[in-house]
Amino acid sequence: MVLKVFFPSCCSSADSGILIGRWISEQNSAVILAVVHFPFIPVQVKQYLGEVQHVTKVSVSVLGSWSNSKQEKEESLSKFLEDLGTIFCHEPWIQISKEGDSKFWSCSTLQKHSKSPQEEEIILVYYDQRKVMLSHLHPPLDTAGQRAEDASKLSAIFDTVARSQVLFMTDRYDEGPIKLTHWQSEGVEASIIVELLKQASVPACMLLTFLLSLLSGICRSRVLKFWPLSFLWSKLSTCEQLGHRLQHLQVISSNKKAQNQNQLMRKANIFVSLLIDVALGILLMSWLYRKNRIGHLADTLIPVADHVAEELQDLLQWLMGAPAGLKMNRALDQVLGRFFLYHIHLWISYIHLLSPFIEMILWYVGLSACLGLTVALCILSDILALLTFHIYCFYVYGARLYCLKIYGLSSLWRLFRGKKWNVLRQRVDSCSYDLDQLFIGTLLFTILLFLLPTTALYYLVFTLLRLLVVIVQGLIHLLVDLIDSLPLYSLILRLCRSYRLAAGVKFRVLEQQDGKPLRLLMQINPLSYGGVVQTYRLPTYSCYPRDSWASLCKKLFLGELIYPWKHKGDKQN
């Protein structure tokens, strides 16, 4: 039978002593947790292990002896280590010794109480105790009822190391009767700054929770549910982003402890995302307010708006003529062209009316960058939507007119075939029409058919302009989604401490020689960067339309409106 001994690599240079750990009988394995050095009193060792077992609920016991012959050269030491097996009474009694400067180790077992002792094949597996402790490959600590099911799996090894955290709190500087060697024996990993931040975060989180609850109560009040405010809150991407960040702050400031690793990583990713977002926003704000860049931007905005309006006027003049040599309906072409030219005139007047206040508006808008770069980008998207509102109006007028003609032609085409649309049953049924209905339907079909090219051309031009604006807004919101959803903390952790995001383990052969135990090295296999993003990606809202290409082409052909925002019924990603 094969005996597997998991030995911590941090104990390879420890002084001679006894091995304490857990014996897993289901898989004939021994998990070494620490080495107790000489001198010690066996009663005190048993008492200490009983306290550890009571706290950790792990059956920790003395499994064998450890001999470092490089440091201990007494011949009677090996005999003394064998006699310890009669005091602590563990079957089998494991003896591991390091042979001086040689790279070979010897590992054997003693079975004094067995009537027919059998020679066992031994596999010595080295593992990094710190990485195994922090890899979170073990089951959750609150699933005590499932430990029996995982006893035959490798996760039992990780579970043993994770639950023995109290054992690792004793280092070489403790003035106790027992001296241990483990991954924290050189000093318990701690930071005074981290401990002070933990103590200071409690009142800060309580204050932040109170302020956020007050703010969320105001946001849920009935005042914001009236039509103008509710419409603006649902359509402006800035309001959506502020609500999204408010939810993030509520998650961070919550006093509920994370139940598992995923919740802990989610909180950490949200916290780092908020910090980086605010830091980038402050950098943007400092750049805007240097060298009077706000004033230069305000002075540039009016000429750019005038230039866009002039280009639209030239485009309409081209459409009112003979665009690309096409024969248009002159009466409808002139009516539509003058109608849109009047809208452009109103838009130019509106822009020049606001020109004295634009610098002041931009100055206050720049202050919002302190809330984060994503908020500033959402404000930029809303400003772009307001500056191109006339293009949106042109698109809506053209789409509605084109949609009416398409549906009118389809209805009249059913009239020619003796069909009609049954509204109650939502299907096409047969119907008989008299001569007057067919005559009027023929006249209307002819009129709509010959007016369709003129309407379709205006619809096509304004749809292309609208799609250009939607693409720019989509790129802005893709950048916002990237900042909101990217698990930055997990990616940094994957780069610096990859074992914290473990996907499994792998074994490497260190030594394989006849008469010697097989020595393996257990290494943590980290998640790939793509797996990190897919596993810990944060949910976000999206203002960009998520329609497929087929659905988008169908909407464009039928003249349905394309909105740059998310409908209320859509699910969040």
Side-chain angles (χ1 to χ4, degrees):
M1 191 172 182
V2 179
L3 171 64
K4 297 180 285 295
V5 180
F6 291 85
F7 190 83
S9 56
C10 58
C11 298
S12 58
S13 60
D15 296 338
S16 299
I18 55 175
L19 304 173
I20 60 175
R22 178 191 175 191
W23 173 256
I24 305 176
S25 58
E26 290 83 359
Q27 50 185 350
N28 199 33
S29 301
V31 183
I32 309 300
L33 298 175
V35 176
V36 180
H37 306 152
F38 297 114
F40 58 82
I41 301 175
V43 176
Q44 293 179 343
V45 173
K46 291 182 178 180
Q47 183 180 0
Y48 176 72
L49 294 181
E51 295 175 356
V52 173
Q53 184 174 352
H54 176 71
V55 175
T56 61
K57 308 300 180 183
V58 177
S59 57
V60 181
S61 60
V62 178
L63 302 180
S65 61
W66 157 255
S67 175
N68 192 345
S69 59
K70 182 179 179 180
Q71 298 179 359
E72 302 290 343
K73 300 184 180 297
E74 298 181 5
E75 297 179 357
S76 61
L77 181 62
S78 59
K79 182 62 178 175
F80 173 71
L81 293 177
E82 290 183 12
D83 294 339
L84 288 176
T86 60
I87 300 176
F88 294 102
C89 300
H90 184 272
E91 289 286 343
W93 182 258
I94 303 172
Q95 290 183 321
I96 304 177
S97 61
K98 188 176 181 181
E99 302 176 359
D101 296 330
S102 176
K103 65 177 182 179
F104 302 113
W105 288 25
S106 63
C107 183
S108 59
T109 59
L110 292 178
Q111 298 180 358
K112 294 184 178 181
H113 301 284
S114 178
K115 296 181 179 179
S116 57
Q118 298 179 357
E119 185 177 353
E120 294 182 324
E121 182 181 355
I122 301 175
I123 299 178
L124 191 59
V125 182
Y126 297 98
Y127 70 95
D128 193 325
Q129 213 166 46
R130 182 173 185 267
K131 293 182 178 180
V132 171
M133 178 72 189
L134 302 175
S135 62
H136 295 283
L137 281 175
H138 52 81
L141 297 180
D142 54 352
T143 57
Q146 299 178 1
R147 279 182 291 172
E149 300 178 1
D150 297 329
S152 61
K153 303 177 183 177
L154 191 62
S155 59
I157 313 300
F158 292 85
D159 179 58
T160 301
V161 179
R163 293 178 181 275
S164 304
Q165 188 174 5
V166 177
L167 181 66
F168 305 138
M169 292 295 106
T170 304
D171 55 30
R172 60 182 296 184
Y173 302 103
D174 291 336
E175 298 179 356
I178 299 176
K179 301 296 182 181
L180 299 175
T181 292
H182 47 74
W183 71 285
Q184 292 194 118
S185 58
E186 296 298 327
V188 178
E189 287 191 354
S191 173
I192 298 177
I193 298 178
V194 173
E195 295 298 327
L196 290 176
L197 288 177
K198 286 181 180 179
Q199 297 296 328
S201 63
V202 176
C205 287
M206 291 178 63
L207 179 60
L208 185 60
T209 303
F210 173 74
L211 294 177
L212 290 176
S213 62
L214 183 62
L215 183 60
S216 61
I218 294 175
C219 294
R220 289 194 299 265
S221 62
R222 294 183 178 180
V223 178
L224 297 178
K225 294 182 180 180
F226 290 110
W227 175 76
L229 295 178
S230 62
F231 179 80
L232 291 176
W233 184 267
S234 61
K235 302 308 180 185
L236 291 180
S237 58
T238 305
C239 298
E240 293 279 352
Q241 178 64 21
L242 288 176
H244 189 65
R245 283 306 188 191
L246 181 61
Q247 294 177 359
H248 282 176
L249 288 174
Q250 289 176 346
V251 171
I252 294 176
S253 61
S254 175
N255 53 4
K256 294 182 179 179
K257 187 178 180 180
Q259 300 296 326
N260 49 39
Q261 173 70 3
N262 289 334
Q263 292 184 5
L264 180 62
M265 295 298 293
R266 182 172 182 266
K267 281 191 174 184
N269 286 323
I270 290 175
F271 182 71
V272 174
S273 177
L274 278 173
L275 283 183
I276 294 179
D277 188 18
V278 173
L280 293 176
I282 292 175
L283 288 177
L284 176 62
M285 185 175 63
S286 63
W287 180 82
L288 286 176
Y289 286 96
R290 287 180 182 176
K291 299 180 181 179
N292 196 24
R293 289 190 175 93
I294 295 289
H296 296 318
L297 184 61
D299 296 337
T300 308
L301 195 60
I302 300 300
V304 169
D306 290 339
H307 179 70
V308 172
E310 290 176 1
E311 293 294 332
L312 285 176
Q313 287 177 344
D314 295 339
L315 178 63
L316 287 174
Q317 293 292 341
W318 178 71
L319 290 176
M320 291 172 64
L326 297 176
K327 181 68 174 178
M328 311 295 291
N329 186 281
R330 184 168 182 80
L332 181 60
D333 193 12
Q334 292 295 323
V335 169
L336 292 177
R338 291 175 182 177
F339 176 76
F340 292 131
L341 285 174
Y342 179 70
H343 274 71
I344 293 177
H345 175 70
L346 292 178
W347 177 251
I348 295 176
S349 303
Y350 167 71
I351 290 295
H352 284 280
L353 183 64
L354 290 179
S355 58
F357 309 101
I358 287 181
E359 183 175 357
M360 181 180 64
I361 294 173
L362 292 179
W363 194 89
Y364 285 107
V365 166
L367 292 177
S368 64
C370 65
L371 299 176
L373 179 63
T374 55
V375 177
L377 291 175
C378 289
I379 292 177
L380 176 63
S381 175
D382 292 334
I383 290 176
L384 180 63
L386 292 176
L387 291 178
T388 58
F389 185 69
H390 54 308
I391 297 179
Y392 176 72
C393 291
F394 295 165
Y395 165 71
V396 171
Y397 298 151
R400 288 305 184 193
L401 190 59
Y402 175 79
C403 183
L404 287 175
K405 291 192 175 183
I406 288 295
Y407 280 101
L409 288 173
S410 63
S411 180
L412 294 173
W413 178 250
R414 287 194 294 267
L415 183 141
F416 292 155
R417 296 182 297 142
K419 305 287 185 180
K420 73 170 184 177
W421 175 255
N422 192 332
V423 180
L424 296 178
R425 297 187 178 183
Q426 294 293 311
R427 67 182 186 184
V428 177
D429 295 334
S430 300
C431 181
S432 59
Y433 298 97
D434 54 17
L435 187 60
D436 294 337
Q437 291 175 334
L438 291 175
F439 178 73
I440 296 175
T442 304
L443 292 179
L444 292 177
F445 183 84
T446 305
I447 294 173
L448 292 178
L449 183 62
F450 282 102
L451 293 180
L452 181 63
T454 304
T455 307
L457 183 60
Y458 276 89
Y459 169 68
L460 177 63
V461 171
F462 293 135
T463 300
L464 294 177
L465 293 177
R466 178 61 184 164
L467 285 177
L468 180 62
V469 176
V470 170
I471 288 173
V472 175
Q473 287 183 295
L475 293 176
I476 294 174
H477 287 290
L478 283 178
L479 182 58
V480 173
D481 285 353
L482 181 65
I483 298 175
D484 283 343
S485 64
L486 197 63
L488 298 173
Y489 176 76
S490 300
L491 291 175
I492 295 173
L493 205 61
R494 172 62 178 84
L495 182 63
C496 301
R497 296 185 177 184
S498 58
Y499 57 87
R500 293 289 300 272
L501 302 175
V505 295
K506 57 183 178 182
F507 294 91
R508 183 165 63 91
V509 179
L510 295 180
E511 176 190 345
Q512 188 175 10
Q513 188 178 3
D514 295 337
K516 297 289 184 180
L518 176 63
R519 293 169 58 191
L520 303 176
L521 176 63
M522 184 173 68
Q523 297 176 331
I524 304 296
N525 194 19
L527 277 172
S528 63
Y529 287 98
V532 171
V533 174
Q534 185 177 3
T535 304
Y536 299 106
R537 182 177 180 269
L538 297 172
T540 61
Y541 87 97
S542 179
C543 292
Y544 191 71
R546 299 292 183 177
D547 298 325
S548 61
W549 285 106
S551 177
L552 186 61
C553 293
K554 180 181 178 181
K555 285 185 177 181
L556 292 177
F557 178 76
L558 296 178
E560 298 180 5
L561 297 180
I562 303 174
Y563 295 97
W565 50 73
K566 171 178 63 66
H567 296 284
K568 292 182 179 180
D570 296 345
K571 294 182 179 179
Q572 293 183 355
N573 293 332

